[in-house]
Amino acid sequence: MTIPDSHQPGVRTTGPSLFPRYFHQHGLRMRVFLSQLPLSIGIACAILIAAVANPKALGDPFVMTGILTQILLLAATLAVPWHRLTFGLFLIIPVFDFLSLAVIRLSGSDTLNGVAALTLFPVFWLAASGLSRRIALPAIVLGSLMVVWSPLVFDGNTLTTAQLLRPLLLPVIFLGLGVAASTLVASMEKQQMALKEKDRQLVETLGLSQKREQLLNAIMNTVNVGLVAVDADGNDILMNRKQRDFHRLALPPDARDAAEEQLLVFESDQTTPIPPAERPVRRAINGDYVSETLMWLGNGSNRRAVSSTSRAIKDTDGTVTGSVVAFYDVTEVMLALQAKDDFVSNVSHELRTPLTSILGYLSLALEESTQLPKHLAAYLQVAERNGERLLNLVSDLLATATPAVGLHRQLADLSELVELSVDSASPRATANNVVLLNQSTTPAMAVFDVGRIGQVVDNLVSNAIKYSPDGGVVTVTTFSTDSEVGCRVADTGLGMEAADVERLFTKFFRAKSATDRAIPGVGLGLRISKGIVDSHGGTIEVQSSPGQGSVFTVRLPVDPDADTSLPAEP
Ligand code: ADP
């Protein structure tokens, strides 16, 4: 049997116990003792049998020497501190076993002849000891030959070949068994080595993944962003400290925990609660990933504005296994935006009153222009024109900075509105070398705020002319179906890049084509137009390509639903 070294790394032992369950769990001394024990028991049995069958045989000096050697060998297994000696030195014991068996057989007693079979034990020990086969197998052959030939060699008679050959079967069998045992042990050792290597790799991988986890935790708790990861069933698998802070913020006052539907989560207007199914984490679980969605958490002075973004977690074959949602605190940005809007609104308001007065007096002065020198009248007209431009700008700024204004809806003809708009834009078109065509032929009746929609059509027509600086054709058409009416303004002017079209309705946005050509403007008209169209439950679409021109299409429902106010500022 093999005696592996349990002190080598990777060999696992169960905790200390009085008598360990497995052979390899014993100390080296006990393992040597246990390896010798079967032979000692075998010899004890042989002696017992001899004591009954032929007591005289036990008096033989060879038998007595053999028995004494066996006792000494068994005692040596326990007495010698094998672990302090060179590893493998204990194999001296099976070698001495061969000797002691040979000595017992020297007695020539028929009763003790069978002890030759006990040679099997030292044979096994040597074969399974892990000793190199080149040493173990010759030792087995020599040892077993010594056991079977000893009575023949020392009986004083001349040896014949036949005598020597007769007992040879036993050493051959032992050799075969030794080969089989050593092969088995060698393969087991290989397996053990492979297992140890796997064990080592596993420990290494575990260490690596623990390090990664520590790193991830450190990063998660350092970043000032709330992070939550959920699996495909919606269970939380990871949540960082910041996210727990956000969660606490959304708890109702004095509550230590609350169900999802009780959490204080509001839309950007800070008052409309967001239903649980529409909150970012729930949406991410349902596969609807959000980007920069704004919401407010909590109540009163502690409330915070939070922007969230979510992404899917996918495994190697692309299957979605969960989602990660990130929450950023954007309260300061929102407050700064609010302060900016307040400032714009206040300044615009303050500017409008004196401007209106200036324009009033200019108009009074111009009423008497016949009495003024010609050049003074021309100066006043320039001042009036610019004053009006300034007033329009101030009105636009006010419209974007102030909240909802009521709509005055009535049944009206969109085609008529378009005609008015085209008529008043005609002089500008002529001045810009633009051919302005109105192709609306049939009435387009619907319920809408004439003033507000007129503002939209004016803005689209004036843009179409303004952004055709090299001249061209602007065509305005209206259309109507049972459910909607609409107006299309197409030009052959500058056009825009697709990326610019995407941002067209953002406050103060101006396309590159406009800024490159230094065409004056502030980027508010379309923003206001979209707000007006949205409040009517309609849509506004744009198709444009650089150098080819643009087409703006407005659609309005014929019979709009109840929504009667402009939407709140986004
Ligand atoms: P403004 O004209 O004062 O800049 P708008 O909100 O009306 O503001 O338009 C925003 C931007 O959209 C413009 O600056 C311009 O770049 C682009 N734009 C609008 N209409 C057209 C058009 N018909 N052709 C090309 N670009 C346009």
Side-chain angles (χ1 to χ4, degrees):
M1 59 211 79
T2 185
I3 303 183
D5 182 4
S6 68
H7 301 287
Q8 286 171 25
V11 175
R12 243 177 281 155
T13 53
T14 51
S17 106
L18 212 55
F19 200 82
R21 198 166 157 202
Y22 297 106
F23 180 73
H24 72 270
Q25 290 173 326
H26 290 282
L28 184 58
R29 200 183 300 202
M30 182 51 78
R31 292 196 315 254
V32 175
F33 171 73
L34 288 175
S35 303
Q36 175 65 5
L37 197 60
L39 177 64
S40 303
I41 294 171
I43 286 184
C45 290
I47 289 165
L48 267 177
I49 293 166
V52 177
N54 183 11
K56 247 198 259 164
L58 296 182
D60 185 279
F62 288 116
V63 176
M64 285 175 73
T65 313
I67 293 170
L68 197 67
T69 322
Q70 272 305 308
I71 293 169
L72 286 176
L73 285 175
L74 191 65
T77 59
L78 285 175
V80 178
W82 300 107
H83 55 281
R84 287 207 208 123
L85 306 178
T86 315
F87 189 78
L89 203 69
F90 53 80
L91 291 177
I92 202 155
I93 303 278
V95 173
F96 273 108
D97 282 339
F98 287 126
L99 270 175
S100 86
L101 287 171
V103 169
I104 293 174
R105 288 210 1 113
L106 278 181
S107 69
S109 157
D110 284 348
T111 328
L112 288 167
N113 242 353
V115 293
L118 298 179
T119 313
L120 193 67
F121 293 112
V123 164
F124 260 120
W125 189 350
L126 278 177
S129 64
L131 197 67
S132 155
R133 276 186 184 205
R134 266 177 298 173
I135 302 175
L137 295 181
I140 287 169
V141 172
L142 283 177
S144 28
L145 281 178
M146 196 160 65
V147 174
V148 294
W149 278 347
S150 60
L152 304 176
V153 175
F154 290 97
D155 71 352
N157 299 327
T158 337
L159 280 173
T160 62
T161 314
Q163 275 178 317
L164 286 175
L165 282 178
R166 210 172 298 137
L168 266 194
L169 190 60
L170 213 54
V172 171
I173 292 172
F174 289 156
L175 181 64
L177 286 172
V179 171
S182 68
T183 309
L184 201 71
V185 167
S187 115
M188 272 165 57
E189 265 170 5
K190 260 195 197 146
Q191 276 179 15
Q192 211 174 25
M193 295 290 282
L195 273 176
K196 270 187 204 165
E197 178 56 19
K198 282 216 175 101
D199 217 20
R200 193 192 59 75
Q201 284 173 359
L202 207 71
V203 169
E204 201 176 283
T205 316
L206 199 73
L208 212 68
S209 89
Q210 272 169 349
K211 265 193 201 152
R212 289 230 175 101
E213 196 184 327
Q214 283 161 358
L215 181 71
L216 181 71
N217 282 343
I219 294 173
M220 291 264 293
N221 289 325
T222 308
V223 290
N224 204 18
V225 173
L227 289 169
V228 58
V230 285
D231 64 18
D233 299 324
N235 305 310
D236 288 355
I237 45 177
L238 211 87
M239 188 187 275
N240 73 347
R241 198 178 302 151
K242 185 74 184 171
Q243 182 55 22
R244 281 193 285 275
D245 290 348
F246 280 143
H247 182 78
R248 267 194 292 278
L249 212 64
L251 289 176
D254 302 328
R256 297 193 63 197
D257 204 358
E260 182 67 43
E261 54 276 7
Q262 292 169 321
L263 294 179
L264 307 173
V265 184
F266 302 98
E267 305 250 13
S268 51
D269 64 2
Q270 304 190 32
T271 44
T272 317
I274 302 181
E278 283 169 33
R279 292 176 191 169
V281 176
R282 181 51 50 192
R283 283 175 64 181
I285 292 166
N286 295 336
D288 175 14
Y289 300 104
V290 297
S291 180
E292 322 244 323
T293 305
L294 184 77
M295 59 191 190
W296 284 83
L297 301 181
N299 248 333
S301 57
N302 282 340
R303 65 172 38 183
R304 308 293 296 174
V306 172
S307 164
S308 63
T309 300
S310 55
R311 294 279 176 281
I313 309 173
K314 291 182 182 168
D315 63 11
T316 38
D317 62 2
T319 315
V320 176
T321 54
S323 327
V324 177
V325 189
F327 296 86
Y328 318 83
D329 190 332
V330 290
T331 315
E332 311 311 328
V333 179
M334 293 311 291
L335 293 179
L337 280 176
Q338 183 60 50
K340 186 206 72 182
D341 280 351
D342 290 350
F343 174 77
V344 170
S345 161
N346 290 340
V347 170
S348 315
H349 207 80
E350 292 303 315
L351 284 177
R352 200 157 65 161
T353 321
L355 244 180
T356 321
S357 159
I358 292 170
L359 280 169
Y361 280 103
L362 278 174
S363 134
L364 283 178
L366 279 169
E367 270 173 24
E368 293 169 31
S369 58
T370 45
Q371 292 160 35
L372 292 173
K374 232 180 169 177
H375 70 282
L376 271 188
Y379 292 167
L380 287 178
Q381 273 165 355
V382 173
E384 190 187 40
R385 233 186 5 258
N386 282 297
E388 271 164 4
R389 278 183 65 188
L390 210 55
L391 188 63
N392 282 340
L393 179 60
V394 167
S395 305
D396 281 357
L397 283 172
L398 258 179
T400 53
T402 46
V405 178
L407 292 180
H408 305 289
R409 286 179 166 148
Q410 63 191 84
L411 185 66
D413 182 2
L414 186 61
S415 297
E416 218 170 87
L417 211 63
V418 164
E419 200 178 326
L420 284 175
S421 182
V422 167
D423 283 350
S424 66
S426 278
R428 242 174 309 136
T430 315
N432 265 28
N433 217 7
V434 169
V435 179
L436 180 57
L437 302 173
N438 179 8
Q439 293 188 337
S440 323
T441 46
T442 49
M445 301 301 294
V447 178
F448 55 85
D449 184 323
V450 176
R452 297 306 219 135
I453 295 298
Q455 199 181 335
V456 174
V457 177
D458 282 349
N459 184 238
L460 295 183
V461 173
S462 97
N463 274 353
I465 297 168
K466 189 161 73 166
Y467 296 109
S468 301
D470 307 322
V473 183
V474 172
T475 317
V476 191
T477 336
T478 52
F479 53 86
S480 76
T481 65
D482 286 348
S483 58
E484 63 176 23
V485 294
C487 150
R488 189 169 291 122
V489 182
D491 66 63
T492 54
L494 295 179
M496 288 165 280
E497 302 281 350
D500 284 347
V501 173
E502 269 176 36
R503 302 179 55 202
L504 215 50
F505 299 103
T506 316
K507 221 189 269 185
F508 301 115
F509 175 76
R510 307 211 61 221
K512 194 167 173 300
S513 52
T515 49
D516 280 354
R517 299 286 293 259
I519 299 174
V522 282
L524 286 176
L526 286 180
R527 171 86 186 83
I528 296 169
S529 299
K530 177 142 173 48
I532 295 171
V533 173
D534 284 350
S535 69
H536 280 79
T539 58
I540 180 162
E541 286 161 24
V542 191
Q543 283 158 344
S544 188
S545 54
Q548 305 289 310
S550 314
V551 182
F552 284 76
T553 310
V554 173
R555 293 172 203 278
L556 299 173
V558 168
D559 189 9
D561 291 328
D563 193 5
T564 54
S565 62
L566 285 176
E569 278 298 287

